[in-house]
Amino acid sequence: MLFNSFEFMLFLPIVFLLYWFVFKPRRLQNLFLVVASYVFYGWWDWRFLCLIALTSFSSYVSGILIQRHEGQRHIQRLVSASNIILNLVILAVFKYYNFFMDNLAFLFSSVGYRLDWVTLDIILPVGISFYTFQALSYTIDVYRGQIRPTHDIVEFFAYISFFPQLVAGPIERATNLLPQFQRERQFDYAKAVDGMRQILWGLFKKLVIADNCASAVNAFWTEYNDLSGLSLLAIGILFTFQIYSDFSGYSDIAIGCARLFGISLKQNFNFPYFSRSIPEFWRRWHISLMTWFRDYIYFPLGGSRCARWKVIRNTLIVFFVSGLWHGANWTFICWGLYHACLIAIYILLGINTKSKDVVAQGHLLPSVREFCQLAITFFLAVVGWIIFRSENMPQAYEFLSRMFTTMFDQGLYIAHGKRYLIWGFLMLLFEWLQRDKQHALQLSHQGLFRYASARFALYAVLVYIMFLYAGTVQTFIYFQF
């Protein structure tokens, strides 16, 4: 079920009303959320409900078994490893089997053997990477002794399947989300109102920015041989706007929906296009995934507290896995390694990339230095997104080659794409003004917005723009991951 579908517009208020007015005790609320979440997920294809149920049940049982054999580290290690391997095998079969078999067949064909029979007609279950990583983190945290396992199977199934973040994150940790299903929840009007604002902003980004940019990108992407370098750069920027508005829009809707049910999800995007370096960009982009890799891969490898070459090695491993996580295609892997190489350059040059503060804090405009840092980081991100969007690496190479070699040969010729570029930059301008907030519509009651009429006028304008300029409905990009 898509957030931007008519079905969801009926589903959400019905679930909300039943949750707060019918299923009052916490245990009934948890059970109802599990049922609602399975309906939400099964709306796409009910057959894949067995996969998420298997992942949930195996992880739930593994937690109990790890606790039961406390002090017997070898048994705990066996239980933990068994559950991790089971879930990774499921993920590998559905997401990567054909990719690896296709590459194996290519290698054999180069020496005269045909292995066409090794591939299978497999449908990729929506959101499998997200809920699998969420389940894995629970097992690892229980094994490490960082959390106590739950014995309530309903609250654990609610933790894995909670519908707002089920199919595209944020990837929640049991330390944050599971305790919220273990205590009574009270309706908070202020949080619910703020959640509605965040939903509105997420829908605006998805319907007006992402979907319109998608139509322009899809129309011109394969015509790179006939377009000028400037036009190709514009298409790259359009996709940069598209993927950010699409994915962060989903996260905004998910976080906002969760607040309606008294649940707090972690921030997944922190205005990443206002980063002063690529490392800072990755601290602001898809935060839940990158902190997952940091805690379960990067730190166990030694993190940054080791020799410089090992830090670079650890970075390459993390971004290789990150690229592979995004999909079974060499473009994703090369995109991950591209960012790893950029970060390696920062490490080798000893450039300080520890900035966590809001850029140009307390000022309307950035300094000249900050502006140059923002522009360079944004351009490097655009180049990366071109690799990400390409169907294969030869296409990525040809696209970038032509973009750089013919940059100033001709003008900008992408028809209606110019209008969507303006929309994208206006979105960034509005977010720039709100960059010290959790989301762009978290309006402080100061200045003009201290008046309720001004706030509601802004909401009305956004809704009007959505009805007037919404693009052709597109599925969320990260559903494929």
Side-chain angles (χ1 to χ4, degrees):
M1 193 180 297
L2 299 176
F3 282 164
N4 53 335
S5 67
F6 177 74
E7 292 86 352
F8 185 75
M9 295 303 163
L10 293 177
F11 173 83
L12 181 61
I14 292 172
V15 173
F16 174 82
L17 293 173
L18 292 174
Y19 176 84
W20 286 114
F21 294 103
V22 177
F23 299 96
K24 271 306 256 186
R26 174 181 61 85
R27 291 180 180 274
L28 280 179
Q29 285 182 329
N30 289 343
L31 179 60
F32 176 65
L33 281 179
V34 172
V35 173
S37 297
Y38 273 60
V39 170
F40 174 85
Y41 191 77
W43 201 269
W44 167 67
D45 193 325
W46 64 269
R47 294 172 298 175
F48 289 105
L49 290 174
C50 62
L51 283 180
I52 189 173
L54 176 60
T55 293
S56 302
F57 184 73
S58 66
S59 301
Y60 166 76
V61 171
S62 71
I64 294 175
L65 290 176
I66 290 171
Q67 182 186 48
R68 184 172 297 172
H69 293 90
E70 196 168 351
Q72 299 174 290
R73 203 59 176 166
H74 63 288
I75 297 179
Q76 290 182 320
R77 190 179 298 113
L78 177 62
V79 171
S80 175
S82 298
N83 184 62
I84 291 171
I85 292 171
L86 170 64
N87 284 289
L88 288 179
V89 166
I90 294 173
L91 180 63
V93 168
F94 280 92
K95 191 167 183 176
Y96 303 108
Y97 177 83
N98 282 342
F99 173 70
F100 288 119
M101 289 301 103
D102 284 341
N103 282 277
L104 185 65
F106 175 78
L107 289 175
F108 272 84
S109 67
S110 64
V111 292
Y113 292 94
R114 290 179 60 100
L115 291 179
D116 295 341
W117 54 270
V118 296
T119 57
L120 300 173
D121 186 15
I122 299 176
I123 299 174
L124 178 65
V126 170
I128 188 171
S129 297
F130 290 90
Y131 69 71
T132 297
F133 270 40
Q134 195 155 306
L136 292 179
S137 70
Y138 171 80
T139 300
I140 297 170
D141 287 348
V142 171
Y143 173 76
R144 290 177 173 178
Q146 295 176 344
I147 58 171
R148 303 290 292 178
T150 178
H151 287 253
D152 188 324
I153 192 170
V154 173
E155 67 187 27
F156 185 78
F157 269 58
Y159 156 70
I160 297 293
S161 66
F162 185 46
F163 75 88
Q165 48 85 230
L166 173 57
V167 294
I171 301 171
E172 280 291 341
R173 306 290 183 83
T175 50
N176 175 58
L177 186 55
L178 191 54
Q180 297 185 64
F181 292 114
Q182 295 172 332
R183 58 175 179 259
E184 296 295 332
R185 298 177 288 276
Q186 301 295 326
F187 179 74
D188 189 316
Y189 176 79
K191 287 184 178 179
V193 169
D194 190 58
M196 291 295 292
R197 294 192 191 108
Q198 194 161 1
I199 291 171
L200 175 60
W201 184 243
L203 285 171
F204 176 83
K205 286 195 289 187
K206 170 60 178 170
L207 298 176
V208 177
I209 309 298
D211 288 352
N212 279 313
C213 286
S215 65
V217 170
N218 294 339
F220 294 106
W221 188 269
T222 56
E223 299 179 9
Y224 52 85
N225 285 323
D226 301 321
L227 296 173
S228 68
L230 188 62
S231 298
L232 295 178
L233 175 61
I235 294 170
I237 294 174
L238 281 170
F239 182 69
T240 299
F241 290 152
Q242 177 195 346
I243 195 167
Y244 169 68
S245 301
D246 192 285
F247 193 18
S248 70
Y250 182 97
S251 292
D252 282 335
I253 299 169
I255 295 169
C257 285
R259 286 182 181 175
L260 297 179
F261 297 93
I263 301 292
S264 296
L265 301 179
K266 290 186 176 181
Q267 186 180 19
N268 208 23
F269 289 84
N270 185 18
F271 307 109
Y273 292 153
F274 304 144
S275 302
R276 287 151 288 193
S277 66
I278 290 297
E280 184 183 357
F281 172 84
W282 282 107
R283 288 195 294 273
R284 294 173 176 271
W285 177 278
H286 202 175
I287 299 169
S288 63
L289 177 68
M290 297 316 296
T291 54
W292 198 102
F293 286 132
R294 179 197 66 192
D295 294 342
Y296 300 116
I297 297 179
Y298 187 69
F299 285 167
L301 288 171
S304 56
R305 297 184 177 182
C306 50
R308 185 174 294 183
W309 74 268
K310 288 186 177 180
V311 176
I312 294 174
R313 177 205 63 185
N314 299 343
T315 301
L316 286 169
I317 291 173
V318 165
F319 278 90
F320 171 82
V321 176
S322 174
L324 190 61
W325 179 90
H326 279 82
N329 194 317
W330 284 108
T331 55
F332 298 130
I333 295 173
C334 291
W335 166 76
L337 293 176
Y338 162 79
H339 278 279
C341 290
L342 291 177
I343 294 174
I345 293 172
Y346 284 95
I347 295 171
L348 290 172
L349 295 179
I351 299 174
N352 180 20
T353 59
K354 302 298 183 182
S355 301
K356 294 183 179 179
D357 58 314
V358 176
V359 63
Q361 179 85 51
H363 300 278
L364 178 62
L365 298 174
S367 66
V368 173
R369 179 183 179 182
E370 287 173 328
F371 178 80
C372 292
Q373 290 173 329
L374 293 172
I376 292 170
T377 303
F378 182 79
F379 177 76
L380 292 174
V382 170
V383 172
W385 289 130
I386 290 171
I387 299 172
F388 186 96
R389 173 61 174 78
S390 299
E391 296 175 8
N392 49 60
M393 284 310 299
Q395 185 185 82
Y397 174 78
E398 292 170 9
F399 191 108
L400 289 170
S401 245
R402 182 163 179 80
M403 186 182 85
F404 284 111
T405 56
T406 65
M407 182 69 75
F408 304 107
D409 287 1
Q410 303 175 49
L412 179 62
Y413 301 106
I414 53 171
H416 56 285
K418 297 178 184 178
R419 181 198 317 163
Y420 304 140
L421 279 174
I422 295 172
W423 279 110
F425 281 113
L426 287 176
M427 173 198 68
L428 288 186
L429 175 61
F430 187 80
E431 290 201 334
W432 172 263
L433 298 175
Q434 295 290 98
R435 65 192 183 282
D436 59 339
K437 307 294 193 303
Q438 291 290 307
H439 61 88
L441 282 186
Q442 192 177 47
L443 304 174
S444 58
H445 290 194
Q446 298 176 356
L448 180 64
F449 291 116
R450 70 178 181 272
Y451 302 108
S453 57
R455 297 194 298 273
F456 281 101
L458 175 61
Y459 308 149
V461 168
L462 292 176
V463 172
Y464 176 75
I465 293 173
M466 282 193 289
F467 276 108
L468 203 61
Y469 295 105
T472 304
V473 176
Q474 309 270 347
T475 187
F476 287 89
I477 291 176
Y478 268 68
F479 275 24
Q480 65 183 296
F481 306 136

